[in-house]
Amino acid sequence: MDWFSRWPLEALVAVSHYFLSEFYIACSPEIKTHVEETMSIFNDMVFQTCEDYFQRYRRRTHITPKSFLSFINSYKAVYSEKHMNINDLAEHMQMGLAKLMEATVSVAALATELAGKEKELAVASNNADKVLGEVTVSAQAAEMVKNEVLLVKEKAQKIVDEIESEKIVAEEKLLAAKPALEAAEAALQTFPKDNINEEMVELLQPYFIMEDYTFENAKKVCGNVAGLLAWTQAMAAFFGINKEVLPLKANLAIQENRLGRAMAELDAAQAQLDEKQAELDKVQAKFDAAMKEKMDLLHDAESCRAKMQAASALIDGLSGEKIRWTDQCKEFKAQINRLVGDVLLATAFLSYSGPFNQTFRDILMKSIWEPELQKRKIPYTDSLNLISFLVDQPTISEWNLQGLPGDDLSVQNGIIVTKATRYPLLIDPQTQGKIWIKNKEQHNELQVGCTYFLKLIFGSINCFP
């Protein structure tokens, strides 16, 4: 097989279709067919460009079927990477927009909830005010009854204190008269004590003043006479003591009756006060419940208002971002739509542009490949910047620090070295590429100009089983 001969276009199309038929590309089946055909046409056009390049600069370049296969593999790898990156960015943007929409819906829901809570709060406030009026009336009534009860209680207490002092005096006198009274009663056991009166005692007084009217003298005369004398003395003593005790007992009974009435009045007043207090407690509990409901609603309303204000502030702060994110999501969709052509140009550049100078690279891009995409209506980005499409600026800056010149041609060569699927051959008379590669691969322990290179290769191979 002549690897440098020009393959038929149909064979190239068959190869591209074989490798891309199961590969996902975000386009219609018609565009995908055009991509397979365009790949073959690109390869065929580069074959002619190699001849033109030789005619102008007398520098021979070649492309082989391996170049075409590398083109296809590079297309699949770069497209998958770019599609995944754009999809990730789009998903983040969509997630941000979804969160903003959720926040907007939440604000609307919170506003509705707040309106409902404010209505409930107004009703609860009216109820609380109404119950407060009932509490005020009940408290005033209870205070009036309380004052009346206090007056009754003070009056009853005064009576109790008076009765208590009189009772103490009466009890003291009764206690003092008790021995004599008991002795007299013992002597008069068989005599009706209640029949003794003052006249009977007065009739006995002349006998009592007689000097010989004593128990000892009567006993000397006769024992019965002595008993009669003792009985008359006991009768007079009982009458005298009982005369003082009876008023005390009568007065004590009167005072106890007064105390009973006072205590009954006090109990009635206290019962009325307890009834009013129970009514007050009931209304107070009702008021406390109404106030708790009001405060709970107030707290909920304030919490809802705070959430709504925070969400509104967030939405207002991100209103500009919403527009930008929406536009960016649209741009992501457009980028994915153009990705089929952009990757085609970028990977064609990686696979075929290496041997050419800047002039012929521009000819390939602007005069050959882009018109072919336009002809076959394959979407792509106008004036696509291959450098920014294939590598980011921090990487370029790092390359510059490692010794790579900053001109577009050098950066393009750096992209081909690092992104192409095949190993590059550098023609580097100024050794700029050599310096850059040595610095770039220093951490990989790159060895340059090794005298025993073949032995090193053989030794490396022998290290594997």
Side-chain angles (χ1 to χ4, degrees):
M1 177 182 291
D2 185 0
W3 289 97
F4 296 98
S5 63
R6 192 170 186 172
W7 276 33
L9 194 61
E10 293 80 4
L12 296 173
V13 172
V15 171
S16 62
H17 177 73
Y18 176 80
F19 285 102
L20 294 179
S21 59
E22 301 296 329
F23 181 71
Y24 171 76
I25 301 177
C27 65
S28 65
E30 181 182 4
I31 295 297
K32 188 173 184 180
T33 301
H34 290 169
V35 169
E36 295 169 356
E37 295 171 351
T38 303
M39 279 186 164
S40 306
I41 293 172
F42 276 13
N43 185 84
D44 198 59
M45 288 177 171
V46 173
F47 195 97
Q48 181 60 47
T49 305
C50 290
E51 293 296 325
D52 297 339
Y53 191 68
F54 176 75
Q55 294 298 326
R56 181 176 296 188
Y57 296 105
R58 311 308 297 176
R59 297 176 184 172
R60 178 65 67 183
T61 60
H62 301 279
I63 61 171
T64 66
K66 181 64 176 176
S67 302
F68 186 61
L69 294 176
S70 298
F71 179 25
I72 296 174
N73 291 332
S74 180
Y75 182 88
K76 293 169 67 176
V78 174
Y79 187 89
S80 298
E81 178 186 356
K82 289 291 183 180
H83 188 270
M84 183 177 66
N85 290 341
I86 295 174
N87 263 345
D88 288 344
L89 293 174
E91 286 178 4
H92 283 98
M93 288 294 177
Q94 290 289 351
M95 186 179 298
L97 288 173
K99 292 297 182 182
L100 282 179
M101 292 300 298
E102 288 178 7
T104 303
V105 174
S106 297
V107 168
L110 288 172
T112 303
E113 182 182 354
L114 180 60
K117 288 186 179 297
E118 287 179 344
K119 291 180 180 179
E120 294 177 3
L121 182 60
V123 173
S125 297
N126 292 333
N127 291 338
D129 294 339
K130 181 180 178 180
V131 176
L132 179 61
E134 296 178 5
V135 171
T136 303
V137 172
S138 298
Q140 291 174 350
E143 188 65 25
M144 292 178 61
V145 174
K146 181 180 179 181
N147 294 332
E148 294 175 0
V149 171
L150 288 176
L151 292 176
V152 174
K153 187 175 181 180
E154 290 176 359
K155 180 179 178 182
Q157 189 63 46
K158 185 177 180 181
I159 294 173
V160 169
D161 294 340
E162 292 176 355
I163 293 173
E164 189 66 28
S165 60
E166 293 179 1
K167 183 178 179 181
I168 291 173
V169 174
E171 288 178 347
E172 289 177 352
K173 290 182 178 181
L174 288 173
L175 185 61
K178 186 176 181 181
L181 184 61
E182 290 178 350
E185 286 180 346
L188 299 174
Q189 289 180 359
T190 59
F191 186 82
K193 297 182 288 296
D194 295 336
N195 294 334
I196 301 173
N197 53 37
E198 188 173 358
E199 182 181 0
M200 296 174 67
V201 174
E202 287 179 358
L203 292 175
L204 292 173
Q205 286 300 324
Y207 297 100
F208 294 153
I209 61 176
M210 294 180 181
E211 293 182 2
D212 56 352
Y213 193 79
T214 63
F215 183 76
E216 288 77 8
N217 291 330
K219 192 174 181 182
K220 292 176 181 180
V221 176
C222 180
N224 291 334
V225 174
L228 180 62
L229 183 146
W231 179 77
T232 57
Q233 289 177 342
M235 185 173 60
F238 174 81
F239 179 78
I241 295 171
N242 198 38
K243 185 178 180 181
E244 294 182 2
V245 169
L246 286 177
L248 291 175
K249 289 183 177 180
N251 184 52
L252 184 60
I254 294 172
Q255 297 301 330
E256 287 179 348
N257 188 30
R258 287 180 59 200
L259 177 61
R261 290 197 303 270
M263 291 303 296
E265 293 178 3
L266 179 60
D267 291 340
Q270 186 64 45
Q272 188 178 3
L273 178 61
D274 292 342
E275 180 182 356
K276 292 296 182 182
Q277 186 63 44
E279 294 178 2
L280 179 61
D281 292 342
K282 184 177 180 181
V283 178
Q284 184 65 42
K286 184 178 179 181
F287 174 73
D288 292 340
M291 285 301 297
K292 183 179 183 302
E293 180 183 4
K294 177 181 177 181
M295 295 307 297
D296 290 343
L297 287 172
L298 181 62
H299 176 74
D300 290 345
E302 290 297 329
S303 177
C304 183
R305 184 178 290 107
K307 291 179 181 178
M308 186 180 70
Q309 291 174 349
S312 299
L314 176 63
I315 293 174
D316 294 340
L318 294 177
S319 58
E321 293 297 317
K322 180 181 179 181
I323 298 173
R324 187 178 69 83
W325 291 349
T326 303
D327 294 341
Q328 189 63 52
C329 284
K330 295 179 181 178
E331 176 59 23
F332 285 146
K333 291 181 180 179
Q335 286 181 15
I336 291 177
N337 184 55
R338 299 192 304 266
L339 194 61
V340 58
D342 292 345
V343 174
L344 196 60
L345 291 173
T347 52
F349 169 80
L350 291 175
S351 302
Y352 298 115
S353 297
F356 301 109
N357 59 18
Q358 189 65 60
T359 301
F360 264 69
R361 290 179 182 181
D362 292 340
I363 290 173
L364 284 171
M365 285 291 297
K366 303 297 181 183
S367 303
I368 298 177
W369 291 339
E370 288 186 7
E372 188 64 29
L373 294 181
Q374 295 171 5
K375 177 183 175 181
R376 295 185 174 274
K377 298 182 180 180
I378 297 176
Y380 74 99
T381 302
D382 292 333
S383 303
L384 177 66
N385 188 330
L386 291 172
I387 293 177
S388 61
F389 184 78
L390 291 171
V391 70
D392 54 29
Q393 188 58 46
T395 301
I396 297 174
S397 300
E398 184 179 1
W399 289 351
N400 296 150
L401 292 175
Q402 292 166 348
L404 184 69
D407 60 281
D408 285 351
L409 182 63
S410 298
V411 174
Q412 288 176 1
N413 290 337
I415 293 173
I416 294 172
V417 169
T418 56
K419 296 287 186 178
T421 58
R422 304 173 70 187
Y423 291 106
L425 174 63
L426 273 64
I427 300 174
D428 185 30
Q430 297 179 350
T431 68
Q432 292 174 332
K434 178 181 178 181
I435 294 172
W436 170 60
I437 291 176
K438 287 175 64 177
N439 292 331
K440 183 177 183 300
E441 301 297 328
Q442 184 177 7
H443 66 283
N444 291 326
E445 299 181 0
L446 176 67
Q447 297 186 28
V448 181
C450 180
T451 307
Y452 305 102
F453 182 69
L454 288 178
K455 291 183 178 180
L456 180 63
I457 295 296
F458 291 148
S460 300
I461 293 174
N462 291 331
C463 289
F464 293 94

